[in-house]
Amino acid sequence: MRPAPLPVRDGLGAARVRLHGGAVLAELTTRFGEQARAKVLAGEVVDAAGAVIDEATVLPTGASVYLYRDLPDEVPVPFDIPVLHRDDDIVVVDKPHFLATMPRGSHVAQTALVRLRKELGLPELSPAHRLDRLTAGVLVFTTRREVRGAYQMLFARGEVRKTYLAGAAVDPALVFPRLVRSRIIKRRSHLQAVCEPGEPNAETLVELLSPDGLYRLTPRTGRTHQLRVQMASLGLPIIGDPLYPKVIDVPAGDFSTPLRLLAQRIEFDDPFTGSRRMFLSRRTIEVGSGGGHDDAG
């Protein structure tokens, strides 16, 4: 894929807009309002070749233009992103709770990707996979465009072994370890994923490690919210979960109750050297129903 014609700025790449065709100024103004019009008139919008768009520019259907987006107001996430490993190809970090992996919706600058690009001076940094915003732990990024696809395919093909720790209640009637298999569907615009009848598409080995409610979760698939949905389906929702079993409205900037879910360990065979690589989070999970936060450092 050819590089974007505008460089990364403040850790964020330019937005790409695919056009319906015709006069660019009129289309951008109709779709995005006066802010977009002002960007065109200021010479801040370019086409795929890097040529500046002006008020007379006409482009065909399917053509793309690029511009820097106006960032939303965001509450700073007050936790560091420790680096566990860095080499020429990858950066592995210990992501804190409450920080999204990459820009989406109202979370843009306050994401691991944007912050790390700025902190590490790596404009081509890109996630090899994702962790939910509320999940902490091991997260792998690629450093260069040339190696991105190889690492992303490891995760896409399920060739990476992931181990999580979770805190939840204990039900003496449930026997562990147990293999949880279910069919999980996540529909667009719905906050929650749901279990539905039918052929299972999600599978997780659940082990109880301690009588106070520390669990090891080993997913064999990677559905959206898989671990959170399946623990809730056992009647053991993960402590601090604002989505399962019911949606709880948490005010922006409230970092007092982290989700007790940690991506503790990742293992894979390096796609270039073939060597076995393993990365381990330095964070811990607090079990029981008490509060507190372990990400202050």
Side-chain angles (χ1 to χ4, degrees):
M1 187 170 65
R2 65 187 299 178
L6 292 175
V8 170
R9 186 175 73 180
D10 293 327
L12 193 65
R16 177 189 180 192
V17 179
R18 190 179 294 274
L19 301 173
H20 302 322
V24 177
L25 177 62
E27 179 175 340
L28 293 181
T29 302
T30 299
R31 291 172 61 181
F32 305 111
E34 288 301 316
Q35 287 183 326
R37 176 183 176 84
K39 288 181 183 293
V40 173
L41 297 179
E44 298 177 0
V45 183
V46 302
D47 65 16
V52 175
I53 301 299
D54 61 28
E55 50 194 306
T57 303
V58 175
L59 292 175
T61 300
S64 295
V65 295
Y66 295 79
L67 67 159
Y68 294 112
R69 72 194 84 180
D70 293 319
L71 300 183
D73 292 330
E74 297 179 63
V75 177
V77 178
F79 309 119
D80 295 333
I81 318 173
V83 174
L84 299 172
H85 172 85
R86 178 176 177 178
D87 60 35
D88 290 341
D89 294 338
I90 61 174
V91 172
V92 184
V93 303
D94 212 352
K95 188 185 84 66
H97 296 285
F98 302 106
L99 191 68
T101 296
M102 58 191 299
R104 184 177 181 183
S106 61
H107 304 287
V108 181
Q110 289 300 308
T111 60
L113 175 63
V114 174
R115 282 177 49 174
L116 287 167
R117 279 177 172 175
K118 292 192 290 185
E119 291 172 12
L120 302 179
L122 294 172
E124 292 189 5
L125 196 74
S126 183
H129 63 119
R130 300 183 190 185
L131 288 178
D132 288 346
R133 185 177 70 87
L134 299 182
T135 303
V138 182
L139 182 59
V140 180
F141 290 84
T142 60
T143 62
R144 297 177 290 121
R145 181 182 300 271
E146 294 81 7
V147 303
R148 182 183 306 167
Y151 287 98
Q152 288 179 340
M153 285 304 297
L154 288 178
F155 288 88
R157 292 193 299 255
E159 296 175 3
V160 177
R161 179 177 172 83
K162 307 174 191 176
T163 306
Y164 292 74
L165 296 180
V170 176
D171 182 350
L174 294 178
V175 177
F176 295 98
R178 65 168 51 215
L179 187 63
V180 181
R181 303 179 72 242
S182 52
R183 181 171 182 80
I184 297 177
I185 303 297
K186 177 70 166 65
R187 294 184 173 84
R188 186 181 298 273
S189 78
H190 289 251
L191 292 176
Q192 291 181 315
V194 296
C195 288
E196 293 190 346
E199 182 69 21
N201 62 5
E203 186 172 293
T204 303
L205 177 64
V206 181
E207 301 169 273
L208 179 61
L209 299 183
S210 65
D212 56 355
L214 180 64
Y215 293 84
R216 179 166 56 218
L217 311 178
T218 307
R220 297 178 179 174
T221 54
R223 310 301 297 185
T224 299
H225 295 177
Q226 175 175 320
L227 303 180
R228 298 162 68 181
V229 172
Q230 291 185 324
M231 288 297 286
S233 74
L234 295 175
L236 305 173
I238 297 173
I239 296 169
D241 197 335
L243 285 184
Y244 304 97
K246 63 180 180 179
V247 177
I248 300 171
D249 185 20
V250 179
D254 183 352
F255 305 113
S256 63
T257 309
L259 177 71
R260 305 304 205 275
L261 182 61
L262 173 69
Q264 183 206 29
R265 181 184 181 112
I266 277 183
E267 295 179 77
F268 58 86
D269 292 332
D270 190 276
F272 295 101
T273 67
S275 61
R276 190 67 171 173
R277 312 196 77 172
M278 186 278 288
F279 303 103
L280 192 66
S281 172
R282 297 171 185 159
R283 302 182 188 274
T284 58
I285 282 292
E286 181 181 339
V287 295
S289 57
H293 205 290
D294 66 352
D295 287 325

